[in-house]
Amino acid sequence: LSVIMVGQNLLSRASDKRADMTYQDADATFHESEQIQAHLLDQDQAINTLLDKIAKLETALLAKK
């Protein structure tokens, strides 16, 4: 009976360790996706700034014709 209890304790510890590692992996993935989203937002803002400049230049060129 004590052998079974020891085995169950070992299995429980191994299961807890796997669960903790899974949580850490998910947490790292979440933080990485936040960084990617922030980077994409910065890119979107830079692209929009460039598009606004192009639109103003186009309007100025068309006004000169």
Side-chain angles (χ1 to χ4, degrees):
L1 187 61
S2 63
V3 172
I4 293 172
M5 290 175 62
V6 169
Q8 287 178 337
N9 286 340
L10 290 174
L11 290 175
S12 176
R13 279 188 235 140
S15 177
D16 289 346
K17 185 176 180 181
R18 281 193 306 274
D20 186 50
M21 290 172 62
T22 300
Y23 174 80
Q24 290 176 6
D25 287 345
D27 191 47
T29 301
F30 175 73
H31 288 295
E32 188 171 337
S33 69
E34 281 184 324
Q35 291 174 342
I36 291 169
Q37 287 176 339
H39 177 73
L40 290 174
L41 182 59
D42 290 342
Q43 276 187 336
D44 286 348
Q45 290 172 346
I47 290 170
N48 285 333
T49 299
L50 291 172
L51 288 174
D52 289 342
K53 288 180 181 181
I54 291 170
K56 288 177 185 177
L57 287 171
E58 184 180 28
T59 301
L61 286 173
L62 291 175
K64 288 183 180 182
K65 287 185 178 183

